[in-house]
Every structure is written in C-alpha cells, then in structure tokens.
Amino acid sequence: MSQTRETVVKEGIDQATVEMTRELETYKHGFITNIESEKAPKGLTEDTVRYISAKKDEPQWMLDWRLEAFARWKEMDEPTWAHVKYPAINYQDHYYYSAPKSGSKYESIDDVPPEILADFEKLGIPLREAEVLLGVEGAGQTPGEARTDAGVGGEGVARQKVAVDAVFDSVSVATTFKKELEKAGVIFMSISEAIREHPELVKKYIGSVVPTSDNFFATLNTAVFSDGTFVYVPPGVRCPMELSTYFRINEANTGQFERTLIVADKGSYVSYLEGCTAPMRDENQLHAAVVELVALEDAEIKYSTVQNWYPGDKDGKGGIYNFVTKRGDCREARSKISWTQVETGSAVTWKYPSCILRGDNSVGEFYSIAITNNHQQADTGTKMIHLGRNTTSRIISKGIAAGFSDQTYRGLVSVHRKAEGVRNFTQCDSLLIGDQCGAHTVPYIEAKNSSAVLEHEATTSRLSEDQLFYCMQRGLNEEEAVSLLVNGFCKDVLQQLPMEFAVEAQKLLEVSLEGSVG
Amino acid sequence: MRPNHQFTEFEKALIASMPAEGSEAGAILSGTGLPSRRDERWKWTDVRAALREEKQSSVQSVSSRAPLLSLDQPIEFLFANGHLSQAPAGLPEGLTLSRGGDYPLFRENLPNIATEKAEATYVLTVSGKLDRPIHLRFLSEGSGMHHTSVQVVLEEGAEASIVESLEGSDGAWFANGVMRFRLAKGASLERLILQQAHDDAVQVHFAMANLAAGANFTQGTLGFGSKLCRLETQVLHEGEGARAVLNGAYLLSGRRHLDNTTDVGHTVPGCVTEELYKGVLADKGRGVFQGRFYVARDAQKTDARMAHNALLLSDEAEVDAKPELMIYADDVQCAHGNTAGALDTEALFYMRQRGLSEAQARAMLVQAFVVEAFGHISNEDVKARLMVLIETWLEAQS
Amino acid sequence: MLKIDDLHITVQETEILKGLSLEVPAGEVHAIMGPNGSGKSTLSYAITGREDYEVTQGDITLDGDSLLEMDPNERAAKGLFLSFQHPLEIPGVATMSFIRTALNAQRKARGENEVTAADFLRAIREKAKIVGLSDEKLKRPFNVGFSGGEKKRMEMLQMAMLEPRFGILDETDSGLDIDALKMVGEVVNEMRGPDRGFLVITHYQRLLDYVKPDRVHVLADGRIVESGGPEIARELEEHGYDKYIQSAA
Ligand SMILES: Nc1ncnc2c1ncn2[C@@H]1O[C@H](COP(=O)(O)OP(=O)(O)OP(=O)(O)O)[C@@H](O)[C@H]1O
Ligand SMILES: [Mg+2]
C-alpha cells in the first residue's frame, strides 16, 4: 500500500466517524432471504459426506479424503482449552448441506435468483453495487489498478474494482470478473469448480497447510466442506484487482463449512478480502471454515477479513459459533503472508490465523481488531512459527471488550533451533468498556535460538476519562466520543485494511459498540 | 482419569504410599497422576517424565555443609532431607515455632502431597518486628524423595525477612516443598529463595501467600536450575492496598532446567504487583517463565506490571515464556512485557575497544542485566553475596 | 606509526572503503573530512577491529605490526582508542568500575601493574574535572540518561584515563558547546607528544582551530581523494565537497 493511500484512509476514517455514528443501528445484515433450498438430511453420518461429495460431482480421491477425515473426526474430542463457554453442540442437529434450489451454480449472472441479488444489494460488503456484480460481462473490464483514490472521504467515492465470489449457505453462487482474471492467468473460482477443473493444483495444495487431523473443527470441515474459494496466481503475476469472497449463512440450523485455498506462485501478489454475514436467528448456527494459504518464493498474500456474523441479541440469544482454522505457509524464501482481521460478529469466536515461516527471509504479519459486546465471547490470536532463517513476524492485536463480553488474545511465537536471525514484535492492547466484561492476554513465547530478538508488550486499560471529556466538550455525544477514541485505539490495524474494507470496518466498530456506554 | 497401567513406577509407588483413607491428595493423584506436559500449567515442565523410576523415602540425615548464603545472625532451621534436624535452642522474642496450621486444598496437587507427606507442618509465627533473618535451609542428598511443609504467619503489623535456601549435594533426589505465607494487616515480609545448581535432582518448591490489607510481600529468587526445578509462587491480594513484589533471576548452564511460575490474584481494589524476572541461558539450559495476573471484577484500581527478559548465550539453550493477563475490571493499569535475545554486540564491541576481553565484557553485561532483578533488596550485604554467586557462575562459563 | 595500505572494507556485502591509504607518523595529528556516508566511521571501526567490517584487501599496521588478526581488546591494549561518533549507554554497568576494569585489563595485557583503587579514584576525579563531568555523573550507570554532549565528554574522560598511544576522534566535536570544544582541544593538546598520534574526523573547521592538524585528508567514496595542509579544511568550509564528489564519481 502506498504512503498516500494510508494517509487517505486515516483521514477518511476520522472524518466519517462522526457522521456515521449518527446513523448507528443494530445488526443491519440480519435479514432472511426467502428462497427455496435443497438440503441434505439433518445430521452427520458417512452418508452425509457421500451425499455432499456426490452433489458436487467430486472425483474419487476427494471423496476418499473426506471419508478419511470423517473417520478421524469421530475419534476426536472438541477442544476445551479456549476461554469460551457455550452449551454442548449437537452435531446431529445441523444440516450440513444447503443449496438454492434453482441449481448449484449459475452460468451467468442472469441466472442468479433476484432475491439473492437483492440480498447483495442490502449488504454492502463489498457487493454494494449491483453494477459491480453484474460486471461479469459488463463495463467494468478495465484493470482495477486504474481507479484512483482521489475522492476518498468526499462525495463520489471511487472504488477499487473487486472480483467477488459469493458463497450462499453452502455453495458459491457467483464469481465476478472471471474473464479479466483469466487474461492475467489468475484462477479464481469456487473450490468445487476447481476440484473439477484444476484437480492437479487442488490435489497438490489442499490439506498441505492444515492437515486432515489438525484439530477437531478443521477435520470436521474436511469431511463436510460444501464450497469455498480457490485462487491460484501464476508466477510473476500481480493480481490485477482485489479478490473477495462474501460468505452468508441463510438457512436455519445450517452449518457452513467453507474451504478456501489460495496459492501464490513464485513472485506473485494477491490481496484477498473476506466478508461474512448471517441473519438474526434465535438458535446458534455453526460455522467451521478452513483457510489455507501457500506463498512460494518471493510471493505475497494479503488476506483481510471483516467478520460480521450475527453475534446474537443483547441477551446473548442466538448468534454464530465461529470455529475457524486459518493458516498460511510461507513455504519458500522471501515470501510474505499478512493477515488482517476485524472481528465484530459471532456469539463465540475461536480463531487463530497463523503463519508458518518456512522459507528463509519470509515475513508473517497479523493485524487484528476484535470487538465484543453484550454476551459475545472471542478467543482469537495467531501463531508465528519461525522455521527459516532471518524470518520476521509482527503481531498487532487490539481487543475491545464491552457489555458482558469476554475476550482473549492467545498467541504463540515459536523460534526453532535452526532459525537464525529471527525477529518478532508483538503488541497486544486491550480496552475495557464497562465493568462487566473481561479482557485476557495469553501469549506463548518459545525461543530455541540465541540470535532471536523477540519483543512482546501488552497493556490493558480503559478509555481515558480526560479524552472522553475533551471530545464531549467539543460537542460529541458520549457514543460518538467513544467511537472516535476506539477508532484511534485501532488505528494501527485499520491502516492495514484495503480502503473498501477500512470504511466498512470502521462502521462496524460503531455498530458493535452500540449501547456500550451510558 | 488415567488408566492404571499408564502410571509410571514412580507414580504407582507414590500412590501406594498415600494414606488409603481420607487422603485428598492421594485421591487426586490416583486420578490424574503427576503433572505432565499435557497439563497446560506444566506444559514446559514435565514432572512425570522427569520422575519415572520408583523412589524410596530419603534417609533423615545429611552431611553438614556451609550454608549457601551466610547471613548476619540468622535464625536458622535446618531440614535434612525433609526432617527438621536443627532449630535454634531459644527463639528470639516475637517468633514462635509450632505444628499444625490450616491448609487449603491447592489447585496444584504436589503441594497437597507435600502437606500430607511432610513429617509435620511447621508454623512460624511472627509478631512485632523481627530484626534477625529467618533462614530455612532445605538440604537434600541421596536419591530418595522427601517433602516439607512450612507455614509463616505474620501478625498484624509484623515485620520479618526470610531466606529459603534449597541446597545439598548432587544426587537423584526429589524434593517437594510447600510454603504458606499469611500476612495480616500491615505486615511486611521480605522473602528470598536461593536455589543451588544440581544436575540430577528434581525439585518443586511451591508457595502461596495471602495478603491482608496494606500487607507488603517482597520476594526475590535466584536459581541455577537442576534436572527439573519448579519454583512457584501464588499470591492472593485479599485486603485493599496490599503490595507484592516478585523478582527473580536465573542462570542456567549444562542441561539444567528452571521454571519460575507465578500467579497473582487481585480480588480487592487498590493493590499493587510488580514483577521482574531476568534469565540467562548458557549451554543447553532451559528456562521457563509463566506469570499470570488475575484481576477480579471488584479489583478496581489495580496496578500490576510484569516483565520477563531472557538472554540466550548459546544456540542450544531454550526459553519458554507465558506472561498472562486475565482482567475483569476496567479501571486498572495492567501490563506485561517479554523479551528474548542475545547480548548486544554493539555494547560488546564498545567495551572491547576500551580493552576488556570478550569474557570480561560479557560477564559485565550479563551482571548488569541480572542485577536489576535485585534492585528491591534492601540489605546491601545480602545483595553483594548474591552478586558473588552470580560472578562465580559467570566465571565457570568462561 | 599508523599505516593503512590499500584498504578495502566490505560491510554486509557492500564495499565501503575501496583502496584507502593513509599514514600518520608518530607525533602528528591528522584530520579527515568527508561527506556523510563517505566511510569515515567505517574506517575508524576497521582500524579498531569491529566485527562485520570485513577486510577484503590491504593492511593496517601500528608501529609496523599488522592489526588485522588482533581482537578489539588486543588493539586497545596496543594503544588504540576510538572516541565513538555515537557513544552507547550501557544500563546496569557502573561507570567507575567499567573504566577501571578497562584500564587494568589493558595494563595487564601489557604486563604492567594494576592501578590501585585509590590511585584510580584520584586520577579519575582530577580528569573528570577537566572534561567537565560531575562526581554525580560518574556514579550513574554508564552513559545512562546522559545528554549527547555529556556522552562526548565521557569519551574524552576515558581517553584521558586510558592514555592511548593513538587516538581516533570520530566527530567528537558534533553536539558540543563552545566550552566543551575547547576542552577537547585541551585534552588532545595535553596528550600530544612525540610518541602519540591522532586521527581527528570532523565536519567543521572550528575543532581544528583548537586541535591544529599537521595534515588534512579528504575522504570521498571510500578513498582519500586529497591530502594537504590545514588550508584544505578552510577551503572545504567555503566550497563544500562538490569537486570531490564529482571527481570520485
Ligand atoms: N553496518 C552497516 N550496514 C550497512 N551499511 C553500512 C553499515 N555501516 C555503514 N554502512 C554504510 O556505509 C557507508 C559509510 O558509512 P559511514 O558511517 O562510514 O559514513 P561516515 O563517513 O562516517 O558518515 P557521517 O559523516 O554521516 O558520519 C554508508 O553508506 C552507510 O550506510
Ligand atoms: Mg560517521
């Protein structure tokens, strides 16, 4: 990201903050789309796995892989070490596959049911413009790079072009800008398609970062994943636009188990955005995704998430259980993987986007904002595993707990014996708003090489009364003031987000904190 | 619950040695066995793996030796393999020794076992200001196991200082000790733990300190490690305005292991905890630091700060750290910092340009690094003696 | 005394000194001037033996003995002293005990007797007065919390205490007030003598008003591009380095 752009984002945020706080609203993505859908029978057996695989026309190797995972999963116990509490999940009480009835995949955008399109319109991340979505064959075929940031913060905000893969409940419904990406050699499609069209690539990389039996939820995902996104950027290619997947859970009692695999071949670059929403429902819904990133020599992957699953109501009823395994493998020299996340949703979050720094001189980054309010619980953080020489990592985590929520940063920085010249810097700051919430920091630091330089700092505090008073003296109401200060607290992370997301994220911060003061 | 066949010979014998009836520690032990790396709080200090073979109880005598730290007019109690073999003929005014005391069931089971298996639970009660330091010398020898349990009670406004030295000769002994400190209102205790280097011994020395309002608990630790050594201190601030200082240094060479674990609970408002640990690791030394601050909802205005800095002098050394904050109150100042790294090469060059040999420059830098952890010790004489122990260690490295 | 012959220095795979030759005979003071980044500090580190300053070609000798195989402390004991451009802070290390350890280590290496604590104390008090450091400053951990100027004074104090045979002053004058500048002149002039040599690296003429150099060298792009009398310094003050930078490029 260029210097100018960073500045612009910062200014955009501060300016817009005040305005946006005026239109504070509750979870606005909580609408339910009425479309008929086709579901697998409730519950989870080997037959469910076979059903999903058959629905997707999968090759035998894929089915075998799923069945192996299912067999292992049955032997595994749900992890209990995270600092979260929730009633036992009955895995037989969920649907594991749900697809809009009109077909599992649309040839053109015209085939997408209008309800879904309308749905997208209501959303805004980042499909707010139907034009963009319809742009599959339409006007927006000029390279996204050409767009400027000139108008940011002002009236006609110029947008970067973003290619979108939308996953609705279990299946991918639309992928935009496919042609243009093809020209650049970038493969961007649903993982189901990729399994059929690029089996050699998928077979080579899937499960190579998160192995089948990695953990309870990842293993479950391997058995029943229904769709997700596949990206392959060929050697030397700088992906001409931001790629984005938008996940939405719609059906009641439906688990969503998407699988994302991104491979950046030698010397390539890709920036990927992920957004999530779900309707308001009284029951808890299960989400257990797996994301695998592979960066080869000199490649860079930037992965940004705005996670806004339904967090449940203010009494803690309903909401998504978000048990996600995200891991990046800097497999070769000088590769770089950067995770940025803004976590405002879900009733329970269990998520540790990690980097395995295998290649010499590779770089891992984790920038996180987690906001919990009401009765939300989040246990999130990262792992930086330094295996290669001169590998560096940077962790910036900002946690904000309000209401009755409980939040934990959990992180591991590990330096292996042969990893010379490792550097890590970690900064974890927690902010408590109100006296009924909790904020926790649990870092693990393991150093086995004397040349490592590891620094970790953590602080816990509350909003400064002085600053609050100052803002209010200038005319902001309390909520506006809190919002402004929280934005300041999160600035280091917000700056890492692509502009589209930064504005969205900042809006979400406000929505999430609503009702936390006064 | 671990199935019986998975217990080690050591565990089986220990379980068998616990009283059949009414032993809470025994009941827990036969359920879970000894702590191992599967237990979150012991993941880097695997007691179970370090103690596989069956051990007899130690004989109750050891050969005499000069104290590791000579103090000015100490009130010395000598525990020979767990047996209180020497105590001063007459105790100074304001200090009494008795047996008994109440013991809660600790979350950790090893101290529960120590309490049950120790020859007695001794209680030292201090009233008023005690001018002379109490010195508890825990001497170990041979290849058996032994347990000790000592409680130190400071009555309202009492002041005392105590040194616990874990010393003895080399051998594959296992020493398991529990200390309990109870500081009444406004009481003040300066505690120093000194652990001598041993290659084959396994040691667990646990302490729990309960602080009433305005109490002052200051702790310093200097440890050199053993085959496996854990020094754990839990502090509970139970009255407003209590203050705890937990400082320590460890210097590990050979294959020695030392685990400093601290857990501080703030349950009432306005208490202060300051913590600073410094570690130096040479050869295949392995240092573990686990520090936790728990701040309960009501503990507003807590001020708690923790730092751990490790210096790795060898590529085969290892340090593992887990500085943890669990915060439930909003109006608090809590922070922790952790660093690990090698000696500053720029400073080394600067000093060598002035004429110091590499070994001299290193020693001076290491000492400077470590000495910060003893900044709180008021007795200059004691501080100087600790520095001598550190110098001796450093000389042995070059 | 100090002789540098066709010196090539590589730092992290970049060649910084590219065939530098220089000779400072005993009893003389030479000044080196040169633009930022030309390699002046690199030269002083190479002479004093800092790690990572790799000699790929050439030689450095002091009194005919090559220094290249010697450790930094052996070079120090042989009489080399560097006043650092950026002196460090060393927290936790007591100033007095550091200087005394250094002095005794050097004396021991030369087969001389150690100085007694009393003699040392007397000497350091006296010299601290000359360089303008209070007793209180001597009691602090080494350089911790010192101002830039105070750190430079501390360098001069060490030079006065260690009595090197060859002193290198790397921009000791920058950051100093007028009085301190004079003090540096006093310390150097006091030490000047037939058996001592100095290499004074500076950007400004004003130090040379106090420390009169026998010769002035211009260092640009890793080489000595001109040598001459004190007039060169005055010329540079007026015209800058333009002509050398072009000639070097
Ligand atoms: N450790 C190092 N690593 C990389 N480059 C270095 C290192 N030390 C010096 N250099 C480079 O070598 C060149 C010469 O640096 P040096 O410090 O010797 O310059 P100088 O002449 O002393 O400059 P100044 O007048 O600013 O003090 C510079 O380009 C500098 O960036
Ligand atoms: Mg310089």
Side-chain angles (χ1 to χ4, degrees):
Chain A
M1 211 188 263
S2 73
Q3 194 54 50
T4 45
R5 183 152 166 198
E6 278 178 57
T7 337
V8 169
V9 170
K10 228 192 309 179
E11 281 169 7
I13 285 162
D14 290 348
Q15 267 179 22
T17 309
V18 182
E19 258 164 59
M20 283 166 179
T21 28
R22 301 224 154 90
E23 42 175 272
L24 278 177
E25 47 192 328
T26 46
Y27 190 75
K28 67 167 183 174
H29 303 304
F31 50 89
I32 300 162
T33 310
N34 286 313
I35 31 168
E36 274 193 280
S37 64
E38 187 182 354
K39 288 183 196 165
K42 210 178 205 178
L44 180 53
T45 63
E46 204 177 288
D47 287 341
T48 324
V49 177
R50 289 179 189 281
Y51 175 93
I52 295 169
S53 187
K55 272 280 159 202
K56 317 231 113 208
D57 277 334
E58 282 177 357
Q60 186 64 34
W61 62 266
M62 200 54 182
L63 175 62
D64 292 344
W65 191 54
R66 286 174 180 277
L67 289 172
E68 186 201 329
F70 182 67
R72 293 207 190 192
W73 180 75
K74 283 191 293 185
E75 303 298 314
M76 294 169 92
D77 293 323
E78 204 172 316
T80 53
W81 44 260
H83 190 77
V84 291
K85 281 196 210 95
Y86 52 91
I89 297 171
N90 181 355
Y91 289 90
Q92 298 307 333
D93 198 29
H94 281 263
Y95 291 100
Y96 288 82
Y97 183 81
S98 162
K101 225 176 197 151
S102 41
S104 59
K105 183 71 198 172
Y106 308 95
E107 289 302 320
S108 90
I109 208 72
D110 295 337
D111 301 336
V112 179
E115 303 93 284
I116 293 183
L117 287 182
D119 216 356
F120 290 161
E121 242 185 82
K122 280 184 249 172
L123 286 163
I125 331 174
L127 278 176
R128 78 194 83 201
E129 293 158 301
E131 189 194 330
V132 174
L133 182 63
L134 294 164
V136 192
E137 306 290 337
Q141 295 285 333
T142 46
E145 302 282 270
R147 301 297 190 99
T148 69
D149 297 318
V152 175
E155 259 296 278
V157 174
R159 303 202 177 283
Q160 280 232 246
K161 193 154 60 173
V162 179
V164 179
D165 183 27
V167 176
F168 207 83
D169 284 334
S170 304
V171 291
S172 166
V173 293
T175 309
T176 60
F177 290 107
K178 242 179 138 162
K179 284 244 169 69
E180 192 175 327
L181 288 167
E182 267 166 25
K183 237 188 283 166
V186 176
I187 302 171
F188 177 49
M189 54 176 58
S190 75
I191 193 110
S192 319
E193 268 176 285
I195 289 167
R196 291 191 299 268
E197 292 177 27
H198 301 281
E200 69 305 328
L201 278 175
V202 176
K203 208 170 170 177
K204 181 166 176 193
Y205 292 106
I206 200 165
S208 74
V209 186
V210 179
T212 315
S213 55
D214 189 82
N215 69 69
F216 182 83
F217 298 114
T219 308
L220 174 63
N221 174 288
T222 304
V224 302
F225 76 87
S226 33
D227 216 331
T229 306
F230 176 73
V231 177
Y232 172 79
V233 190
V237 171
R238 197 181 161 85
C239 187
M241 63 188 82
E242 312 258 16
L243 302 183
S244 168
T245 299
Y246 160 68
F247 296 103
R248 177 163 171 80
I249 297 178
N250 200 49
E251 281 295 320
N253 285 332
T254 304
Q256 179 152 312
F257 305 91
E258 72 273 359
R259 184 108 196 170
T260 300
L261 173 61
I262 300 176
V263 181
D265 213 321
K266 293 183 197 298
S268 67
Y269 169 85
V270 60
S271 167
Y272 180 89
L273 323 172
E274 175 195 75
C276 336
T277 58
M280 296 195 255
R281 292 190 189 280
D282 283 352
E283 325 80 49
N284 297 103
Q285 281 169 285
L286 181 61
H287 173 251
V290 171
V291 175
E292 295 179 279
L293 311 183
V294 181
L296 303 185
E297 207 173 85
D298 292 307
E300 178 175 349
I301 301 175
K302 191 169 163 60
Y303 194 106
S304 313
T305 305
V306 172
Q307 187 266 107
N308 184 28
W309 298 117
Y310 179 51
D313 69 11
K314 66 181 196 332
D315 299 316
K317 201 166 168 46
I320 303 290
Y321 290 163
N322 189 29
F323 302 123
V324 176
T325 304
K326 290 184 165 178
R327 195 171 304 152
D329 188 356
C330 286
R331 200 161 283 183
E332 294 179 357
R334 294 172 304 279
S335 52
K336 176 174 176 183
I337 289 178
S338 176
W339 298 99
T340 305
Q341 60 173 27
V342 177
E343 301 279 316
T344 65
S346 298
V348 177
T349 298
W350 181 101
K351 177 181 173 188
Y352 315 92
S354 304
C355 296
I356 301 167
L357 301 163
R358 211 183 295 275
D360 290 349
N361 299 89
S362 58
V363 177
E365 292 177 336
F366 175 74
Y367 297 99
S368 170
I369 298 171
I371 300 201
T372 50
N373 197 358
N374 300 320
H375 291 267
Q376 281 178 276
Q377 306 173 65
D379 194 301
T380 184
T382 185
K383 290 183 197 175
M384 293 289 172
I385 314 286
H386 292 264
L387 303 173
R389 289 160 167 267
N390 302 319
T391 49
T392 55
S393 61
R394 187 176 166 82
I395 299 171
I396 307 285
S397 164
K398 304 282 179 176
I400 298 133
F404 297 87
S405 70
D406 228 321
Q407 192 177 117
T408 304
Y409 166 84
R410 191 180 299 276
L412 168 69
V413 174
S414 167
V415 180
H416 283 240
R417 186 74 68 211
K418 298 227 162 64
E420 291 281 328
V422 166
R423 298 279 177 280
N424 163 265
F425 176 77
T426 302
Q427 175 83 47
C428 293
D429 296 317
S430 308
L431 196 63
L432 290 149
I433 301 179
D435 56 4
Q436 297 299 313
C437 48
H440 320 299
T441 315
V442 191
Y444 296 76
I445 300 130
E446 301 180 341
K448 293 188 186 167
N449 189 297
S450 68
S451 62
V453 177
L454 311 180
E455 286 173 77
H456 172 103
E457 285 169 28
T459 62
T460 303
S461 54
R462 67 168 175 180
L463 287 178
S464 133
E465 301 273 357
D466 293 346
Q467 288 173 355
L468 270 179
F469 174 73
Y470 184 88
C471 293
M472 288 165 75
Q473 204 287 320
R474 292 290 178 268
L476 278 75
N477 69 33
E478 192 170 6
E479 265 180 358
E480 289 167 342
V482 167
S483 176
L484 195 76
L485 294 176
V486 166
N487 263 294
F489 176 76
C490 298
K491 184 176 87 243
D492 293 349
V493 176
L494 286 171
Q495 281 174 8
Q496 297 297 326
L497 284 168
M499 188 199 55
E500 282 266 333
F501 262 29
V503 175
E504 195 68 41
Q506 171 225 352
K507 222 158 141 190
L508 274 174
L509 303 192
E510 287 144 22
V511 172
S512 313
L513 288 171
E514 199 220 357
S516 63
V517 289
Chain B
M1 272 282 186
R2 204 184 278 160
N4 191 49
H5 65 269
Q6 285 181 7
F7 284 122
T8 61
E9 293 308 309
F10 179 90
E11 283 170 327
K12 284 182 201 162
L14 186 61
I15 291 167
S17 79
M18 301 302 289
E21 295 284 315
S23 164
E24 284 175 296
I28 298 172
L29 183 66
S30 28
T32 60
L34 289 177
S36 74
R37 64 189 162 81
R38 285 170 205 279
D39 301 293
E40 174 62 28
R41 295 169 47 77
W42 297 81
K43 61 182 291 173
W44 294 312
T45 299
D46 192 331
V47 178
R48 182 168 184 256
L51 289 170
R52 295 202 155 269
E53 310 309 323
E54 182 178 344
K55 272 198 193 314
Q56 307 295 326
S57 289
S58 300
V59 291
Q60 296 195 329
S61 72
V62 297
S63 35
S64 73
R65 50 166 43 237
L68 194 53
L69 186 74
S70 41
L71 297 164
D72 190 27
Q73 293 194 304
I75 308 162
E76 189 176 295
F77 298 87
L78 202 148
F79 290 83
N81 280 346
H83 165 63
L84 178 59
S85 63
Q86 266 178 49
L91 291 177
E93 206 189 307
L95 180 66
T96 59
L97 173 68
S98 59
R99 295 179 176 217
D102 61 332
Y103 281 82
L105 193 67
F106 297 107
R107 178 177 46 183
E108 297 298 347
N109 199 36
L110 279 166
N112 296 329
I113 294 171
T115 305
E116 282 189 26
K117 296 210 50 119
E119 67 174 7
T121 54
Y122 294 101
V123 184
L124 287 163
T125 306
V126 183
S127 58
K129 183 170 157 48
L130 199 62
D131 295 328
R132 294 162 57 196
I134 300 170
H135 191 177
L136 305 183
R137 295 181 63 201
F138 297 101
L139 263 59
S140 299
E141 209 172 277
S143 57
M145 68 170 156
H146 44 272
H147 309 264
T148 51
S149 172
V150 178
Q151 193 166 141
V152 179
V153 179
L154 271 76
E155 292 180 347
E156 197 170 322
E159 279 176 50
S161 68
I162 186 166
V163 175
E164 294 150 52
S165 52
L166 314 182
E167 42 186 316
S169 46
D170 277 336
W173 42 266
F174 169 50
N176 179 28
V178 57
M179 300 289 304
R180 180 149 195 234
F181 298 96
R182 296 202 315 188
L183 276 66
K185 248 188 181 162
S188 178
L189 180 70
E190 194 170 330
R191 178 186 189 217
L192 178 66
I193 307 145
L194 200 58
Q195 186 264 334
Q196 188 184 17
H198 295 289
D199 285 329
D200 304 312
V202 176
Q203 295 162 279
V204 176
H205 195 68
F206 173 93
M208 167 98 199
N210 296 72
L211 312 186
N216 229 312
F217 180 76
T218 309
Q219 171 174 312
T221 302
L222 176 61
F224 296 94
S226 55
K227 178 182 173 189
L228 195 83
C229 178
R230 161 109 146 197
L231 305 175
E232 174 162 353
T233 303
Q234 298 189 359
V235 176
L236 203 57
H237 290 282
E238 294 173 323
E240 292 190 25
R243 180 167 175 271
V245 174
L246 299 171
N247 287 352
Y250 56 91
L251 299 101
L252 309 177
S253 55
R255 301 178 147 272
R256 288 175 205 128
H257 176 119
L258 180 61
D259 172 335
N260 281 291
T261 293
T262 60
D263 195 342
V264 181
H266 286 255
T267 57
V268 292
C271 296
V272 175
T273 304
E274 287 167 41
E275 180 164 359
L276 173 64
Y277 274 82
K278 297 271 188 171
V280 181
L281 300 119
D283 306 332
K284 294 188 175 183
R286 181 166 186 205
V288 174
F289 172 80
Q290 304 188 103
R292 196 172 89 117
F293 288 160
Y294 173 89
V295 179
R297 187 125 349 225
D298 294 331
Q300 296 292 5
K301 307 273 180 211
T302 289
D303 186 342
R305 287 155 209 282
M306 178 197 304
H308 169 247
N309 310 114
L311 199 53
L312 288 116
L313 301 180
S314 140
D315 266 348
E316 291 178 310
E318 173 173 353
V319 65
D320 301 305
K322 186 183 173 200
E324 218 179 319
L325 300 175
M326 302 283 283
I327 316 289
Y328 288 99
D330 63 338
D331 189 9
V332 298
Q333 298 278 354
C334 293
H336 69 224
N338 187 79
T339 61
L343 276 179
D344 179 358
T345 52
E346 217 172 317
L348 270 177
F349 172 69
Y350 185 93
M351 298 173 89
R352 294 183 72 192
Q353 204 301 303
R354 295 297 181 250
L356 272 68
S357 70
E358 180 161 9
Q360 270 178 316
R362 275 172 171 274
M364 213 174 223
L365 286 176
V366 170
Q367 243 183 69
F369 171 81
V370 168
V371 76
E372 272 185 78
F374 298 119
H376 69 283
I377 295 181
S378 54
N379 187 328
E380 289 300 326
D381 199 37
V382 169
K383 208 166 17 185
R385 281 166 212 262
L386 294 179
M387 288 320 290
V388 170
L389 290 172
I390 291 168
E391 275 163 35
T392 312
W393 183 88
L394 281 166
E395 272 158 27
Q397 302 316 304
S398 52
Chain C
M1 175 158 212
L2 182 79
K3 190 160 184 265
I4 300 168
D5 185 31
D6 188 30
L7 186 66
H8 290 252
I9 297 287
T10 296
V11 184
Q12 289 181 350
E13 290 162 31
T14 317
E15 182 160 77
I16 310 284
L17 296 188
K18 305 163 182 171
L20 182 144
S21 299
L22 178 72
E23 188 169 354
V24 185
E28 292 193 6
V29 173
H30 287 204
I32 289 195
M33 304 184 82
N36 294 132
S38 56
K40 302 182 299 295
S41 296
T42 302
L43 174 64
S44 60
Y45 290 142
I47 298 171
T48 49
R50 185 165 177 165
E51 226 178 305
D52 300 333
Y53 286 72
E54 197 193 336
V55 179
T56 53
Q57 202 179 309
D59 200 2
I60 309 171
T61 58
L62 187 63
D63 300 331
D65 302 329
S66 174
L67 299 176
L68 298 189
E69 295 302 312
M70 292 187 195
D71 283 343
N73 43 310
E74 291 171 332
R75 299 184 200 204
K78 206 171 158 50
L80 269 182
F81 178 89
L82 170 61
S83 168
F84 285 61
Q85 183 177 356
H86 305 289
L88 327 182
E89 299 187 7
I90 315 180
V93 169
T95 304
M96 300 267 243
S97 98
F98 169 60
I99 300 178
R100 186 161 163 236
T101 311
L103 180 59
N104 282 333
Q106 288 199 21
R107 294 178 68 96
K108 204 170 146 206
R110 291 193 293 258
E112 300 163 10
N113 284 338
E114 297 197 350
V115 287
T116 64
D119 287 347
F120 175 79
L121 216 62
R122 203 171 306 122
I124 200 165
R125 287 242 165 86
E126 181 194 316
K127 304 217 152 128
K129 214 170 275 161
I130 297 172
V131 304
L133 285 173
S134 65
D135 262 18
E136 186 267 328
K137 292 266 153 43
L138 296 183
K139 284 181 187 139
R140 280 208 228 161
F142 191 77
N143 273 347
V144 174
F146 281 27
S147 73
E150 286 166 348
K151 286 179 185 166
K152 295 294 175 73
R153 289 172 194 263
M154 182 59 82
E155 296 294 287
M156 288 299 98
L157 173 62
Q158 292 171 77
M159 186 166 86
M161 288 300 295
L162 296 171
E163 302 183 309
R165 297 195 324 104
F166 195 91
I168 305 166
L169 278 64
D170 189 354
E171 292 194 32
T172 301
D173 54 335
S174 48
L176 289 188
D177 60 34
I178 303 287
D179 292 343
L181 211 58
K182 253 189 223 161
M183 173 276 292
V184 173
E186 271 166 41
V187 172
V188 174
N189 292 330
E190 169 73 20
M191 291 177 76
R192 251 173 123 151
D195 296 329
R196 281 214 172 89
F198 287 94
L199 192 60
V200 178
I201 297 169
T202 182
H203 285 296
Y204 307 105
Q205 166 63 36
R206 41 167 218 212
L207 176 66
L208 304 180
D209 291 340
Y210 299 102
V211 181
K212 297 259 174 340
D214 296 295
R215 282 182 81 70
V216 177
H217 308 273
V218 180
L219 173 53
D221 194 32
R223 288 185 200 88
I224 300 293
V225 292
E226 179 154 4
S227 299
E231 71 284 354
I232 291 187
R234 241 159 270 134
E235 231 168 77
L236 282 175
E237 194 101 315
E238 263 173 56
H239 303 294
Y241 292 105
D242 273 7
K243 85 177 200 211
Y244 301 110
I245 291 172
Q246 269 147 22
S247 73

